[in-house]
Amino acid sequence: MIRRKRTCWTAILLVCVMLVSGCSIWPGQNDSSSNKKVALTLWYWNRSIDDKLIAKAKEKFPNIELTAQKIGGDFKAKLKTTLAARSGEPDIVALNDWIMELFPSEDRFYNLYDLGAGDVEDQYLDWKWKQGVTPDGQMIGFPMDTGPTALFYRADLFKEAGLPSEPEEVAHQINNWDAYSAAGEKIKEKFGGKVFLTDNIGTVYNQVLSQGTERYFRPDGSFIGMDSPLVKQSWDTAVSFKQKGLLANADGWTPGWNAAMNNGEIASFVGAVWMKQVLQEAAPDTSGKWRVTRAPGGDGNNGGSFLSILKSSKHPKEAFEVIQWLQSPDNQLEQYKTLNLFPSAPGVFDTPAMKEEEPFFGGQATGPVFAESAQHVPEAFFGERYPSVHNIITRRLNDIAKQNANPEQVWPDTVQRVERELQR
Amino acid sequence: MWEHRALYVAISPFYILFAVFGLFPIAFSLYLAFHKWDGIGVMTYNGLNNFKYMLTDAEFWQAVGNTFMIWIYATIPMLFFALIIAFLLHAPFVKFRTLFRVGYFLPNVTSIVAVAIIFGALFANNYGFLNYLLQSVGLPVVEWLDAPWGIKVAISSMVVWRWTGYNAVIYLAGLQSIPQTLYEAAKIDGASGIQSFFRITIPMLRPVILFTVITSTIGGMQLFTEPQILVGNDGGTGAAGMTIVLYLYRESFINNYFGYGAAVGWGMFLIIALFSIVNWKLVQGKSS
């Protein structure tokens, strides 16, 4: 009996040893071998930083052991759970334009101003820089790429409908949303309703809103109210596009959108610079027919990213050196060439690489159009609750566009839902 | 008891894992339901506010309604087809039975994401396969993914496709456990095939039917991946595909109201419990 018991215990012990030895829990194995190199980890997503540039950074900083991890899946959710768990945090992390959601947790990040970011502030677009600064004046995000917007349009369809087709003429004649809407009616008439002016109601609302100087909140955090002139104007413009039948109701990132673009059912849309890539992949058959010009109603921004240093990092100084180097104007230009990431450093806008002619856009050099737009983006405060309010409104607009809900009834209901949302 | 401690240690992994990954999250979500938490910052006590908000939240009740509608759209045809398939598989004239059994089980082990993408292509408004078929026989197209009922039909059809075979295999096991002598006795007494189906097969299958109804109730109430991939985190146009779990997910992980998300989880628990009891009474009712 005793013998059997002992074998039993030995077996359990063995299993435990095998389980534990599977995952190495002894730290510091690397420290001894690498002469006190500073170890830094960096989280980014595919195509947000050029992999070759990261390889170069490792050469550039021989005293730093940089581990760059490409995080797949839902990047934001992964970052937030890691922040909540307070363990396994990287030193440097890339953030998308949802950076404002993290402003309430600014104490979890280093203030980049403390690390010397102020010295290079004048090299970057002012409005972009300010998007990384919290209302308390802490800078938690260093500028990466931006998303200046412009009007993408089909020159051939515009011409056929009797509209101007050269970029300068289009920008000159279709310079506000009313003129744009009138152009849409001409297109609709000419093609018997088979070609739509633009893709969906959300695009219209977003773009009108992005051209303004205010969103839903004031910098002190208070709610401007749904009767803000800009919100009302964006809403009314979007609804009028629906009522005039100018929308193809094709949602972005769907096969239907790709097909509608490729089949020439959509004549134009206002989109950010990164839509160039999306469009080229979605609509290869329309190559050479697209042009880009300054958007009706003004310039705006949609998207763009930042780099941050988490407070848990033990080497903020070195981390900041890496960030500053990765996003230096020259390296941003490098990444424009390799990954089409639009620089946030206006100093490189005049370089030949930014003025290259593109066959997809009929030989037009679209770089200068976006560069011009990027320099005129109005500065606006978002606030950490921007996404939830914005989401409620765009959802209700979709009901109007696709289920023919009555705008007169949807508006008060939307106002009520937003107000309820803000109470919790 | 102490003398058997080695054996208790040997079976302890399950209890330890359950405590860490099962019991703790359940207890924590109950704690969380009474707090306000954005997932990163500090938790503040919020009393019953999360529950109060939930009870007066139009979107929550819409999600509850949607979930029930999708459950009805899916479960009734699913169990009906499953019973017919099981009956056919059990019939003596069917050959290659094992092949069919494997075949019917296949949808259940197919990646749900792949399934959702295929169904998305079938039901797409423009260039969708179903609309192509409708058009080719001269019928008007249906805006499947923009109509409230269309979205529900699309989601339900994914559920039916995925779970019919699974339930059929369970019914088949039930059928095989019915003693053949009962049918023989009925035959001698002059009962027809239909009579023996309704008088012998169905009553004898009652416990199995009860099991499938309860499992598909729980599964149906927890529907998440299908609508999320098919129509997105907002439940599609007019939130017609917003189910309770999708709503819980959106409120917690998209809008960062983790406390509220936990409250919704407990609300869902109550609904499932109540609904299961009702189902149990209904199915069980006749025999007792």
Side-chain angles (χ1 to χ4, degrees):
Chain A
M1 187 64 203
I2 291 192
R3 264 191 78 97
R4 241 180 66 190
K5 231 180 209 172
R6 190 164 290 161
T7 2
C8 201
W9 275 115
T10 320
I12 290 163
L13 204 78
L14 252 166
V15 170
C16 289
V17 168
M18 277 157 68
L19 280 175
V20 169
S21 59
C23 43
S24 94
I25 53 163
W26 289 281
Q29 279 171 326
N30 294 335
D31 290 355
S32 53
S33 60
S34 56
N35 296 329
K36 284 186 184 166
K37 265 192 177 185
V38 172
L40 290 179
T41 47
L42 160 72
W43 279 14
Y44 68 119
W45 59 89
N46 198 19
R47 299 184 63 85
S48 63
I49 304 176
D50 187 8
D51 295 338
K52 281 184 207 137
L53 194 68
I54 288 175
K56 265 197 214 165
K58 289 178 185 169
E59 288 170 26
K60 165 88 185 161
F61 300 100
N63 62 324
I64 294 171
E65 195 175 302
L66 183 66
T67 315
Q69 290 170 337
K70 209 176 264 187
I71 307 293
D74 192 343
F75 187 90
K76 183 166 80 169
K78 248 172 204 166
L79 174 65
K80 284 189 174 172
T81 32
T82 311
L83 283 171
R86 289 178 186 268
S87 87
E89 295 166 42
D91 297 88
I92 307 170
V93 65
L95 307 173
N96 216 324
D97 59 351
W98 35 261
I99 187 166
M100 66 280 212
E101 286 178 46
L102 294 169
F103 283 179
S105 315
E106 60 185 5
D107 58 318
R108 303 292 302 276
F109 297 87
Y110 274 101
N111 182 356
L112 301 179
Y113 276 135
D114 292 346
L115 299 168
D119 299 343
V120 290
E121 186 164 355
D122 56 353
Q123 292 177 19
Y124 297 89
L125 293 165
D126 200 34
W127 59 267
K128 169 75 183 183
W129 185 275
K130 285 189 176 136
Q131 279 184 1
V133 180
T134 69
D136 296 345
Q138 287 220 39
M139 182 188 180
I140 67 165
F142 195 88
M144 293 172 77
D145 62 313
T146 61
T149 55
L151 177 72
F152 292 72
Y153 70 96
R154 285 277 301 268
D156 56 330
L157 298 179
F158 268 43
K159 199 170 190 174
E160 229 181 304
L163 294 164
S165 61
E166 286 303 313
E168 292 81 31
E169 288 173 49
V170 175
H172 185 68
Q173 288 187 35
I174 306 177
N175 60 356
N176 60 55
W177 287 92
D178 287 336
Y180 184 48
S181 150
E185 292 195 277
K186 261 190 165 173
I187 288 171
K188 188 176 142 192
E189 207 177 300
K190 172 71 193 173
F191 297 99
K194 290 212 169 89
V195 178
F196 297 94
L197 176 66
T198 192
D199 51 0
N200 60 60
I201 198 162
T203 306
V204 179
Y205 178 78
N206 280 331
Q207 296 307 338
V208 183
L209 193 69
S210 82
Q211 292 168 352
T213 51
E214 58 178 19
R215 297 292 183 270
Y216 311 110
F217 300 94
R218 297 185 192 89
D220 64 1
S222 61
F223 183 50
I224 293 171
M226 293 292 282
D227 45 5
S228 135
L230 181 64
V231 171
K232 198 81 180 82
Q233 185 206 339
S234 309
W235 173 281
D236 289 342
T237 310
V239 169
S240 79
F241 271 53
K242 151 71 187 166
Q243 285 167 339
K244 287 176 186 161
L246 308 179
L247 306 170
N249 278 345
D251 286 335
W253 318 109
T254 64
W257 190 90
N258 296 356
M261 285 296 170
N262 203 26
N263 294 348
E265 283 171 34
I266 293 169
S268 69
F269 62 92
V270 178
V273 58
W274 42 263
M275 286 305 285
K276 277 190 349 189
Q277 185 99 15
V278 177
L279 185 63
Q280 288 186 39
E281 280 162 19
D285 295 356
T286 57
S287 177
K289 295 172 181 165
W290 290 90
R291 299 287 184 281
V292 173
T293 192
R294 300 283 287 283
D299 301 306
N301 178 72
N302 188 356
S305 338
F306 301 86
L307 279 175
S308 295
I309 305 173
L310 291 170
K311 206 60 179 250
S312 55
S313 171
K314 290 193 186 83
H315 312 288
K317 260 177 107 175
E318 287 83 356
F320 185 70
E321 276 175 40
V322 172
I323 286 184
Q324 205 182 338
W325 184 82
L326 281 175
Q327 300 303 331
S328 71
D330 287 344
N331 282 332
Q332 284 203 354
L333 182 65
E334 204 52 42
Q335 298 187 87
Y336 176 71
K337 290 181 203 160
T338 50
L339 293 181
N340 251 323
L341 295 169
F342 201 83
S344 54
V348 300
F349 285 176
D350 257 343
T351 52
M354 302 275 305
K355 293 177 182 164
E356 255 170 46
E357 294 175 350
E358 290 151 83
F360 187 85
F361 296 97
Q364 185 195 358
T366 64
V369 178
F370 289 108
E372 208 42 44
S373 167
Q375 282 163 305
H376 292 94
V377 172
E379 199 184 308
F381 177 79
F382 284 85
E384 73 248 23
R385 304 191 92 168
Y386 170 85
S388 45
V389 172
H390 189 69
N391 204 356
I392 292 177
I393 298 176
T394 42
R395 252 164 28 217
R396 302 317 309 277
L397 276 171
N398 252 320
D399 294 352
I400 295 175
K402 295 185 179 170
Q403 296 188 330
N404 297 317
N406 181 359
E408 308 285 303
Q409 284 165 3
V410 175
W411 174 255
D413 182 55
T414 311
V415 173
Q416 191 224 326
R417 283 199 190 192
V418 168
E419 276 163 4
R420 222 177 104 82
E421 168 76 23
L422 293 174
Q423 276 163 17
R424 46 175 171 173
Chain B
M1 184 192 150
W2 194 235
E3 60 203 71
H4 298 302
R5 60 185 181 277
L7 298 175
Y8 283 108
V9 172
I11 59 164
S12 66
F14 168 77
Y15 292 97
I16 294 170
L17 286 177
F18 174 73
V20 174
F21 295 105
L23 200 60
F24 173 72
I26 292 171
F28 185 66
S29 75
L30 189 62
Y31 174 76
L32 201 55
F34 295 95
H35 288 75
K36 196 174 169 175
W37 190 42
D38 67 356
I40 303 171
V42 274
M43 262 183 235
T44 49
Y45 182 70
N46 201 14
L48 284 170
N49 281 341
N50 285 331
F51 291 98
K52 278 184 197 152
Y53 191 88
M54 179 172 80
L55 291 176
T56 54
D57 186 0
E59 286 185 308
F60 172 75
W61 290 110
Q62 192 192 355
V64 172
N66 286 342
T67 309
F68 274 87
M69 290 305 287
I70 293 170
W71 179 81
I72 291 169
Y73 285 179
T75 306
I76 293 172
M78 174 175 81
L79 296 185
F80 177 73
F81 290 135
L83 199 56
I84 290 177
I85 290 167
F87 198 68
L88 289 176
L89 281 180
H90 191 54
F93 57 83
V94 176
K95 297 210 170 94
F96 310 115
R97 231 173 277 186
T98 319
L99 183 77
F100 282 118
R101 263 177 249 173
V102 173
Y104 280 114
F105 205 71
L106 212 58
N108 197 249
V109 292
T110 313
S111 158
I112 190 168
V113 176
V115 176
I117 291 169
I118 299 290
F119 273 74
L122 288 180
F123 284 97
N125 296 335
N126 305 316
Y127 314 106
F129 183 68
L130 283 181
N131 276 343
Y132 168 76
L133 286 184
L134 287 176
Q135 267 179 323
S136 59
V137 293
L139 289 169
V141 297
V142 177
E143 305 254 285
W144 294 100
L145 297 181
D146 283 340
W149 63 272
I151 291 178
K152 293 188 181 80
V153 167
I155 295 169
S156 307
S157 65
M158 283 174 67
V159 177
V160 171
W161 186 82
R162 186 150 178 254
W163 292 101
T164 301
Y166 172 88
N167 284 304
V169 172
I170 290 174
Y171 283 148
L172 182 63
L175 286 175
Q176 284 169 341
S177 71
I178 300 173
Q180 208 56 38
T181 46
L182 285 177
Y183 290 105
E184 279 158 21
K187 213 170 197 178
I188 291 165
D189 288 343
S192 70
I194 292 170
Q195 272 173 322
S196 55
F197 179 78
F198 283 106
R199 300 280 166 84
I200 301 171
T201 313
I202 295 288
M204 293 296 282
L205 270 184
R206 185 151 284 157
V208 182
I209 293 174
L210 178 67
F211 172 77
T212 56
V213 169
I214 298 281
T215 50
S216 46
T217 303
I218 296 170
M221 294 295 116
Q222 295 182 346
L223 200 63
F224 169 67
T225 321
E226 286 94 342
Q228 199 216 10
I229 296 169
L230 196 67
V231 290
N233 286 331
D234 289 322
T237 311
M242 176 69 80
T243 60
I244 306 176
V245 186
L246 187 56
Y247 184 63
L248 187 162
Y249 173 82
R250 194 191 76 189
E251 291 301 298
S252 309
F253 295 98
I254 306 289
N255 292 343
N256 304 321
Y257 297 115
F258 283 89
Y260 183 60
V264 172
W266 281 93
M268 187 175 79
F269 167 76
L270 281 181
I271 291 171
I272 293 178
L274 275 176
F275 198 55
S276 296
I277 292 169
V278 170
N279 267 320
W280 185 60
K281 289 273 177 214
L282 279 179
V283 181
Q284 193 76 341
K286 274 183 197 163
S287 66
S288 56

